[in-house]
Amino acid sequence: KLMVSQCRHFPRVLPHMREIGVKCLYLHRRDTFSTALSYYKAQKSGLYHSDRLPKSGRPLSIEADASAFEQLLETCRNDKKTLLELQHSFGGALLSYEDMIENWDQFISKIGSEIGLPDLRVPKALKKVGTRTDVVSITNEDWLRARYSESSRE
């Protein structure tokens, strides 16, 4: 796993990986607004992965600071732009988070084809945490969506 920020800080890593034959798979989220919302929730709550959510307890409600969210959204847009530029420059399969959530088996099959394992099967181990069961909610999410989400889809 190589993050966009690591590619920025160490620009020779990805070209070197390609030179030695590493197959690159680029995972992105088509909905940049949802990426920013997820990062914002994680930063404010300290809960970064759905598999580490508390088993019990009250849900946490946070009111997002609009300017802080807007800055994070812009960072996510820039990261996505960089990721797409890297994929275009160095090649490799472009995969989406949405495809992974919508059809796990097909997503894994695509990865298998890309890495030379056409019969690859991986059982789904985690359940997607949806908005109805999120432990962290943003109280002004509807307002943020109305203001920012249309400009974040590609």
Side-chain angles (χ1 to χ4, degrees), residues 45-123:
S45 69
L47 297 172
Y48 287 86
H49 298 285
S50 60
D51 61 336
R52 297 190 179 116
L53 294 176
K55 304 260 187 265
S56 61
R58 290 186 19 222
L60 176 61
S61 293
I62 299 168
E63 182 171 340
D65 175 87
S67 78
F69 181 80
E70 188 171 2
Q71 286 177 329
L72 184 58
L73 180 58
E74 189 59 29
T75 297
C76 290
R77 287 177 179 148
N78 289 335
D79 283 353
K80 182 175 182 178
K81 181 181 177 210
T82 300
L83 180 132
L84 294 174
E85 289 169 354
L86 290 169
Q87 188 267 339
H88 179 74
S89 295
F90 298 104
L94 183 63
L95 307 169
S96 80
Y97 173 84
E98 289 86 352
D99 289 342
M100 179 178 66
I101 296 303
E102 290 168 15
N103 191 331
W104 174 259
D105 293 332
Q106 186 175 4
F107 180 81
I108 293 300
S109 179
K110 182 175 181 178
I111 290 173
S113 294
E114 290 293 329
I115 63 172
L117 297 171
D119 296 326
L120 181 66
R121 301 290 175 265
V122 177

Side-chain angles (χ1 to χ4, degrees), residues 33 37 41 62 64 131 137-146:
F33 174 85
L37 191 66
K41 288 178 180 182
I62 299 168
T131 55
S137 65
I138 302 292
T139 59
N140 55 340
E141 181 178 339
D142 290 340
W143 181 84
L144 292 170
R145 281 191 184 281

Side-chain angles (χ1 to χ4, degrees), residues 140-154:
N140 55 340
E141 181 178 339
D142 290 340
W143 181 84
L144 292 170
R145 281 191 184 281
R147 183 165 182 177
Y148 299 113
S149 70
E150 283 304 310
S151 62
S152 301
R153 288 192 176 270
E154 291 185 26

